[in-house]
Amino acid sequence: MSLTLQRIPAFSSALFCRCSSKSFQRHCSRISSKKVRVSDALSSEETGANVRIQGWVRSVRPQKDNLFLHLNDGSSLQPLQVVASSHLNTRDLTFGCAVDITGTLEKSPSKRQNVELHAQHIKVVGECNPVDFPFKIKERHSLEYVRQFPHLRCRTNAFSSLLRIRSEATAAIQSFFRDNGYVQIHTPVITSNDCEGAGELFQVEPAGHKNDSDDPNPHFFSVPAYLTVSGQLHLEVMAGAFSAAYTFGPTFRAENSQSRRHLAEFYMVEAEIAFTESLEDLMKVMEDLFKAATEHVLSSCAEDVELFHKYTAPGRRDQVDLMLKRKFNVISYTEAIDILKSSSQNFTFSTEWGCDLQTEHEKFLVKHCGNVPVFVINYPYELKPFYARDNQDQPNHTAAAVDLLVPGVGELCGGSLREERLELLSQRLAQYLQLREFGSVPHGGFGMGFERYLLCILGLHNIKDVIPFARFSHSCLL
Ligand SMILES: NC(=O)C[C@H](N)C(=O)O
């Protein structure tokens, strides 16, 4: 592409400076520039408008008469092309520096964008030494490489796309519950219960705290307390008053694992629904939630999603479309065991009735079901926590519990009808009982791992690539 100064007469008066904020502000108010984001500028129909845009330089291409910059401010994957006179002093204008630019939006001769910014004034707000900057122009860095720079990886295309998708998926999940009459509850992060009973708890204690008692265990001001593993029990309290409640926040599991599917801190979407008597009702909410959030992400972040589907997970877009189109499968745990046993695959772990389904089993089952998500229901009673409802009428001793397995990830959601019958529970757990004494109703709920959801729709493999700051065993960078 070539542009001439004739096409952009404003350039003769273009300024480039490292002037004080005050004189720059005076300049902006004199020409009454409206502050806009790059995404607004790119979608603008209006040309000739005076605008002011702040962001980071993604590339600098000096040519004979003009200087071309790509500017990004995090609002879109596509950068805005900025054209400035090459007579400017461009010494500090490097890849990675922060700039504040005023100019006019003009129609672009390029097919790749509608408009470009013809700069009249460029101020370098923060310099960047590109030699020391860990990301280089035009180089495609691996996800593993950028993971080493948690403080800078949001400046890469892939990770900024991921974070926009994550933000939109969050908004879509909130809208889904709000539109369906759920009340959002901020369940506590510090709690006294181990909801899952798996003992994977982080205990909480003030730093430098000296225990007054003889008890050597850490204490939260003399009572034992933990970081939450699930907001379920607090939500159950709320479903007993609001009928339908949800929470969406961080949960913590002290799993000493470096696996690509586990984090010590992850976000979970949890819902609890009163007056629910069947797993079908619960499964419908999970399926509707998955589809509503995914449709929203595909339409609101089309370019960002395409980046992943095209470059990191070819074929995943078709799979996502299939997941949206088809009804999710439902099989019982007993059927799942039959499928595993009759397959020719050699599994590492047991496939006897009563075994816990492992990742290898989950992946096989999803494939077996045509790469469409599959609900596995009615697990052996012994495999599920105390709160899962006893299926007393079934031949095998099972609980009314459900896991949703999805392509590329395995288990995405886990839920169950809750045991609301006081006499059955009384043999199992004292704390839970009072809830059942006062207006107990049949109810159920589920939790969905938010990072696993993102892995599934984007076709990514490592959970550390879909959370802003990953925490896992032996790692708490930044
Ligand atoms: N709210 C839920 O049902 C989630 C379940 N407690 C879990 O942690 O998997």
Side-chain angles (χ1 to χ4, degrees):
M1 176 203 331
S2 76
L3 284 178
T4 62
L5 275 177
Q6 281 72 28
R7 260 197 62 240
I8 39 176
F11 281 4
S12 50
S13 61
L15 284 161
F16 170 76
C17 73
R18 300 176 61 229
C19 54
S20 70
S21 293
K22 268 199 186 134
S23 64
F24 186 71
Q25 297 291 349
R26 271 200 305 274
H27 166 79
C28 296
S29 56
R30 199 174 59 239
I31 61 168
S32 67
S33 308
K34 186 175 162 218
K35 210 154 136 178
V36 295
R37 305 292 308 268
V38 164
S39 56
D40 299 327
L42 288 171
S43 58
S44 160
E45 299 291 329
E46 201 190 327
T47 54
N50 265 326
V51 295
R52 176 179 177 191
I53 306 189
Q54 295 153 317
W56 293 266
V57 170
R58 301 301 292 253
S59 71
V60 187
R61 282 174 297 129
Q63 290 192 358
K64 199 163 146 271
D65 295 323
N66 300 321
L67 175 80
F68 294 89
L69 301 179
H70 273 157
L71 185 70
N72 198 307
D73 64 355
S75 61
S76 80
L77 176 61
Q78 212 193 327
L80 177 68
Q81 169 143 287
V82 180
V83 192
S85 163
S86 56
H87 300 120
L88 298 175
N89 172 3
T90 56
R91 202 166 37 94
D92 296 324
L93 208 53
T94 60
F95 171 61
C97 74
V99 289
D100 195 333
I101 304 180
T102 52
T104 53
L105 287 178
E106 302 293 347
K107 186 145 183 52
S108 168
S110 159
K111 281 206 188 84
R112 299 182 57 203
Q113 66 224 355
N114 285 336
V115 291
E116 58 192 20
L117 178 64
H118 290 184
Q120 287 158 355
H121 196 292
I122 301 178
K123 176 175 188 259
V124 173
V125 177
E127 291 166 23
C128 169
N129 179 352
V131 179
D132 295 339
F133 196 57
F135 311 127
K136 307 290 169 223
I137 303 184
K138 289 190 182 152
E139 246 177 70
R140 197 179 295 157
H141 301 290
S142 71
L143 295 171
E144 291 77 15
Y145 174 78
V146 298
R147 232 181 267 149
Q148 298 170 71
F149 308 97
H151 55 309
L152 290 172
R153 69 173 174 166
C154 51
R155 299 266 292 276
T156 64
N157 274 344
F159 204 63
S160 63
S161 284
L162 181 275
L163 292 180
R164 278 188 297 274
I165 292 169
R166 195 179 157 106
S167 168
E168 282 303 316
T170 302
I173 288 166
Q174 302 278 16
S175 302
F176 172 85
F177 284 117
R178 207 182 46 224
D179 295 349
N180 285 287
Y182 288 68
V183 173
Q184 181 177 14
I185 301 295
H186 297 123
T187 52
V189 168
I190 297 177
T191 177
S192 57
N193 75 63
D194 174 7
C195 169
E196 295 305 295
E200 292 163 338
L201 295 162
F202 287 107
Q203 194 145 6
V204 177
E205 152 174 83
H209 177 70
K210 295 257 177 314
N211 231 337
D212 292 339
S213 70
D214 296 336
D215 186 347
N217 291 323
H219 280 150
F220 175 78
F221 306 111
S222 78
V223 292
Y226 313 95
L227 295 182
T228 182
V229 293
S230 159
Q232 177 191 325
L233 297 181
H234 298 99
L235 272 189
E236 285 198 46
V237 171
M238 298 302 173
F242 296 103
S243 303
Y246 80 101
T247 189
F248 186 175
T251 46
F252 307 85
R253 305 249 169 127
E255 279 179 294
N256 193 357
S257 163
Q258 301 273 348
S259 101
R260 62 174 192 85
R261 293 187 342 141
H262 294 97
L263 289 170
E265 176 184 293
F266 60 96
Y267 276 69
M268 188 146 67
V269 181
E270 295 181 273
E272 207 59 38
I273 310 143
F275 306 103
T276 290
E277 294 191 42
S278 77
L279 281 179
E280 279 69 33
D281 293 347
L282 225 49
M283 290 189 284
K284 181 169 180 345
V285 181
M286 291 186 227
E287 183 167 343
D288 290 351
L289 169 67
F290 181 97
K291 289 182 172 173
T294 308
E295 268 157 14
H296 176 80
V297 166
L298 291 183
S299 64
S300 62
C301 302
E303 272 190 339
D304 293 315
V305 171
E306 196 190 343
L307 181 79
F308 291 104
H309 286 164
K310 212 152 132 196
Y311 297 111
T312 54
R316 179 50 57 117
R317 178 55 201 248
D318 292 342
Q319 274 188 356
V320 172
D321 287 340
L322 188 72
M323 289 191 252
L324 290 178
K325 208 164 69 200
R326 294 263 295 274
K327 181 129 188 55
F328 292 1
N329 303 287
V330 184
I331 57 174
S332 70
Y333 170 88
T334 305
E335 283 167 327
I337 290 295
D338 290 345
I339 293 167
L340 295 173
K341 280 186 136 173
S342 60
S343 90
S344 54
Q345 185 163 322
N346 282 329
F347 295 107
T348 312
F349 292 93
S350 163
T351 53
E352 288 307 313
W353 201 96
C355 71
D356 213 350
L357 294 184
Q358 305 293 329
T359 311
E360 58 173 356
H361 303 143
E362 294 171 350
K363 284 192 168 162
F364 183 88
L365 291 168
V366 172
K367 250 202 192 129
H368 178 87
C369 293
N371 274 323
V372 173
V374 52
F375 290 109
V376 179
I377 60 171
N378 298 332
Y379 279 78
Y381 188 73
E382 297 305 324
L383 290 182
K384 292 293 169 187
F386 70 91
Y387 51 71
R389 196 173 198 275
D390 193 343
N391 277 329
Q392 283 172 319
D393 50 343
Q394 298 215 348
N396 290 319
H397 194 190
T398 59
V402 52
D403 280 355
L404 174 60
L405 313 181
V406 296
V409 169
E411 183 189 338
L412 175 68
C413 300
S416 68
L417 296 183
R418 313 309 191 192
E419 186 57 82
E420 85 286 6
R421 294 161 296 186
L422 183 58
E423 68 285 5
L424 283 178
L425 264 180
S426 59
Q427 299 145 16
R428 296 169 77 184
L429 191 78
Q431 277 185 342
Y432 210 44
L433 296 182
Q434 258 212 332
L435 277 178
R436 303 299 184 255
E437 279 181 36
F438 306 116
S440 179
V441 294
H443 65 287
F446 67 90
M448 174 177 93
F450 183 51
E451 285 74 23
R452 288 189 179 188
Y453 165 74
L454 293 172
L455 286 183
C456 170
I457 62 165
L458 299 177
L460 289 169
H461 296 290
N462 198 318
I463 200 159
K464 300 173 190 76
D465 295 328
V466 294
I467 189 159
F469 300 99
R471 272 83 179 91
F472 50 97
S473 84
H474 303 105
S475 178
C476 188
L477 282 179
L478 204 70

